[in-house]
Amino acid sequence: MAETRRPLSRAHDPLVDAVGRLPARVHTKLLIAFLGTSILLVAVGLLGLRVLGQSNDRVGALGGLQERNFAYGQLQRDAAYVRALMAENAGRSFYKVWPGAPRSNLGAKAVAIDTATANAVDRIGPTTAVDRLGFTPPAEDAHTLDLIREKSDKLSALMQEIIQVHKPDPLSRNVVGLRQRAEGLAIDLYQDAAVLANRTTAQIEDLIARNARSYLSSRNLFIGVASTALVLALVLGFILSWSVIGPIQQIDARLAAIAAGDFSGHVDVVNRDELGDLAANVNRMNDELSRLYDELEAASRHKSEFLANMSHELRTPLNAILGFSQVLREEMFGPVNEKQAEYLDDILASGHHLLSLINDVLDLSKIEAGQVQLARGPFSLREALEQGVVVVRERANVDGVRIDVTADPAADVVEGDARRIQQVIFNLLSNAVKFTPPGGAVDVTTARVNGEVWVSVSDTGPGIAPEDHERLFDEFQQTEAGIAQREGTGLGLALSKRFVELHGGRIWVESELGRGSTFVFALPARSG
């Protein structure tokens, strides 16, 4: 029967199956996927470098324009300064309108102003040179700069002429005409400088606007390419990962089913790689384990039947031996001497030991065969503990071992098979008394913990090594101290574990060498 497909699984997606069917090993597929992802990352990186390069070029162009704008603005300010200086000297028409105005500016002061104007004009021409500007102006700006340089030279010559003519006759018609020509040249200079500054300002604003549009376009392009690369990488990763994860999940589910004893299914993997080979091996292992499991199950059933029958057959003659030995020991048919009594005691002790072993084997075989039926019902845990203490107290008194019972009233009544739980208690108490040295103590406590009833049996014996904690609960397993005692069968703890687990509980040991041992079993607490 094919493995059941999970409803939300992507293991059988057509693209995933197509990748799985590629005749390539898993590491080759992974290498291809990593290479594809790397190519996408490189493409995104190259696009990012291109976008950054364009942005850097625009920033460089904007810086050049700003530098030109500053230089042209300085030219405009110089031209405006020349016009302002020339306005300081009033002409003939001014005094016609204001004949009473003081004429202090017609003397040395006017000459000084004209001289300052000439000096200011002389500074304009050289600033239009490329070496003074610090950059090479474009053709249209170069032409305007040539005009500015030409007009500044003319204005400079006019100002020198005005200065020479002004001294003898400040209001002569020659001075007035020269000053009018100079004012016209000054206005032209200012306008040409303004043209340069305004043109550069307009170019800056246009470049800023284009930068904004280009940024938006580049950003959208980058986001689009990056998003596409991300989606492609995710799709590639999704397909490749599921071509690997899907078969692994199916194999894992099949192995879990095999571990649970279900050999009825097979793994359906289409991959033509290591995972396909693994799935085929899992299917072969499943079939082989199914065959071996059937054989082992039959052998176990035959063993359990044999043990049950043999134990039952052995108990009949053994009971007769014990009965007749007890009759002889009680001298019901005549006295026996001391040696005979000693032999009879040995026969009775060995017989009871053998009967205990047979009973344990019979109980174990019944459990393995699933023939144990628990007689569940409420019973007093304290009474079960006290009955167990009564059974082992005689031996405890002989060895000088003290037994203390501390029962929690909240953990008194439990639900279960009283006889089986009492058997567990007896096994734990018997082991505790047996391994506690003379003068030692055995403490028995009960408590209610997190919805469970815990029963703890602690002794002051030799303790148990950590590596033996788990195996003690297996059949026919004993510690070195137990083997040295030459008592017991190694079945008591195994049976106790089975009986506790049949009640839905658990059992464990807490112990260290030289510090005694504490055996604890927990049962579900009774509700209500």
Side-chain angles (χ1 to χ4, degrees):
M1 184 178 68
E3 193 72 23
T4 302
R5 296 182 181 182
R6 301 179 182 178
L8 299 179
S9 174
R10 298 293 185 271
H12 294 282
D13 185 274
L15 288 176
V16 174
D17 287 346
V19 172
R21 288 192 180 96
L22 291 176
R25 313 315 289 171
V26 172
H27 73 275
T28 302
K29 296 176 182 178
L30 290 174
L31 183 61
I32 293 173
F34 292 151
L35 181 61
T37 304
S38 300
I39 291 174
L40 293 174
L41 290 175
V42 169
V44 173
L46 291 176
L47 178 61
L49 288 176
R50 179 173 176 271
V51 171
L52 288 175
Q54 292 175 343
S55 177
N56 187 60
D57 292 342
R58 290 192 295 268
V59 170
L62 182 61
L65 284 175
Q66 289 174 336
E67 183 180 5
R68 284 162 52 191
N69 188 54
F70 177 79
Y72 297 157
Q74 186 62 46
L75 275 176
Q76 186 179 14
R77 288 189 291 273
D78 290 344
Y81 179 62
V82 169
R83 290 188 63 189
L85 286 175
M86 294 181 67
E88 291 290 329
N89 285 331
R92 181 188 297 272
S93 58
F94 175 81
Y95 290 105
K96 286 182 178 181
V97 177
W98 306 97
R103 302 198 177 193
S104 59
N105 61 339
L106 297 179
K109 181 179 179 182
V111 174
I113 293 173
D114 289 337
T115 302
T117 303
N119 292 335
V121 172
D122 290 341
R123 289 195 296 270
I124 292 177
T127 58
T128 61
V130 174
D131 56 343
R132 292 287 297 275
L133 289 173
F135 58 86
T136 300
E140 56 182 355
D141 290 354
H143 176 68
T144 305
L145 289 170
D146 290 339
L147 292 177
I148 292 174
R149 189 163 45 252
E150 180 183 345
K151 292 176 181 178
S152 65
D153 292 342
K154 291 181 180 180
L155 181 58
S156 177
L158 278 174
M159 292 307 302
Q160 293 297 330
E161 187 176 354
I162 290 171
I163 293 172
Q164 295 300 321
V165 177
H166 181 271
K167 293 179 180 179
D169 186 5
L171 295 177
S172 67
R173 292 186 177 275
N174 289 338
V175 173
V176 173
L178 291 173
R179 195 175 294 281
Q180 288 177 346
R181 289 172 56 194
E183 289 177 354
L185 287 173
I187 292 172
D188 290 343
L189 278 177
Y190 177 80
Q191 290 177 343
D192 290 341
V195 167
L196 287 176
N198 293 337
R199 180 192 300 156
T200 307
T201 300
Q203 290 175 350
I204 290 175
E205 293 174 351
D206 179 65
L207 181 59
I208 291 174
R210 285 189 289 113
N211 281 351
R213 291 192 299 269
S214 180
Y215 166 76
L216 292 175
S217 176
S218 300
R219 183 194 66 181
N220 294 336
L221 176 62
F222 183 79
I223 292 175
V225 172
S227 300
T228 302
L230 178 61
V231 170
L232 289 176
L234 289 175
V235 170
L236 182 63
F238 175 85
I239 294 174
L240 183 65
S241 63
W242 271 108
S243 71
V244 175
I245 294 173
I248 291 176
Q249 287 183 339
Q250 295 179 64
I251 293 171
D252 178 68
R254 182 67 261 162
L255 291 175
I258 291 174
D262 177 13
F263 305 101
S264 60
H266 277 153
V267 182
D268 180 19
V269 173
V270 300
N271 289 44
R272 298 172 61 187
D273 50 27
E274 294 93 336
L275 295 174
D277 298 339
L278 178 61
N281 289 331
V282 168
N283 288 334
R284 284 193 291 270
M285 180 189 69
N286 177 85
D287 296 339
E288 183 64 17
L289 286 176
S290 177
R291 184 184 66 80
L292 293 175
Y293 184 80
D294 291 340
E295 293 180 359
L296 289 174
E297 194 174 42
S300 178
R301 185 172 61 255
H302 295 325
K303 180 205 71 172
S304 298
E305 292 174 355
F306 170 78
L307 288 176
N309 294 332
M310 184 59 65
S311 299
H312 181 73
E313 294 297 328
L314 287 175
R315 282 199 299 180
T316 301
L318 184 57
N319 285 330
I321 293 173
L322 289 174
F324 288 128
S325 299
Q326 187 68 35
V327 169
L328 292 175
R329 183 66 183 82
E330 293 177 358
E331 300 181 355
M332 296 178 63
F333 295 100
V336 295
N337 60 37
E338 184 177 348
K339 198 64 176 177
Q340 291 171 334
E342 182 181 346
Y343 288 157
L344 287 172
D345 289 337
D346 289 341
I347 292 172
L348 286 171
S350 298
H352 284 298
H353 178 66
L354 181 58
L355 182 61
S356 175
L357 175 60
I358 292 172
N359 288 334
D360 287 345
V361 171
L362 183 59
D363 285 340
L364 186 62
S365 63
K366 285 182 178 180
I367 292 174
E368 290 180 347
Q371 297 176 355
V372 174
Q373 298 293 329
L374 298 179
R376 292 181 178 273
F379 68 93
S380 173
L381 189 59
R382 181 181 180 85
E383 292 181 3
L385 291 173
E386 290 175 349
Q387 292 174 8
V389 170
V390 169
V391 175
V392 300
R393 190 177 296 280
E394 181 178 355
R395 177 168 180 174
N397 291 336
V398 171
D399 294 336
V401 175
R402 188 185 78 254
I403 302 178
D404 294 325
V405 177
T406 304
D408 184 356
D412 185 17
V413 179
V414 295
E415 189 84 21
D417 189 325
R419 186 172 70 86
R420 297 301 186 183
I421 297 301
Q422 192 166 0
Q423 188 173 349
V424 173
I425 293 171
F426 171 74
N427 286 337
L428 298 182
L429 284 172
S430 178
N431 286 341
V433 171
K434 179 169 61 177
F435 290 107
T436 300
V442 174
D443 293 321
V444 183
T445 61
T446 65
R448 190 182 181 103
V449 180
N450 297 329
E452 293 180 322
V453 173
W454 287 18
V455 179
S456 304
V457 178
S458 302
D459 62 57
T460 56
I464 302 169
E467 59 270 18
D468 293 332
H469 286 186
E470 292 296 330
R471 77 176 183 86
L472 275 181
F473 295 98
D474 295 334
E475 294 85 351
F476 305 104
Q477 295 294 320
Q478 292 179 295
T479 62
E480 293 182 1
I483 295 173
Q485 289 266 359
R486 297 191 177 184
E487 294 185 33
T489 61
L491 289 176
L493 289 177
L495 282 172
S496 298
K497 183 174 184 291
R498 300 292 184 90
F499 287 143
V500 169
E501 289 177 348
L502 285 174
H503 283 80
R506 53 200 176 96
I507 186 170
W508 67 93
V509 61
E510 299 171 357
S511 179
E512 295 181 21
L513 287 175
R515 296 191 176 184
S517 305
T518 299
F519 284 84
V520 186
F521 69 90
L523 301 174
R526 187 185 183 200
S527 60

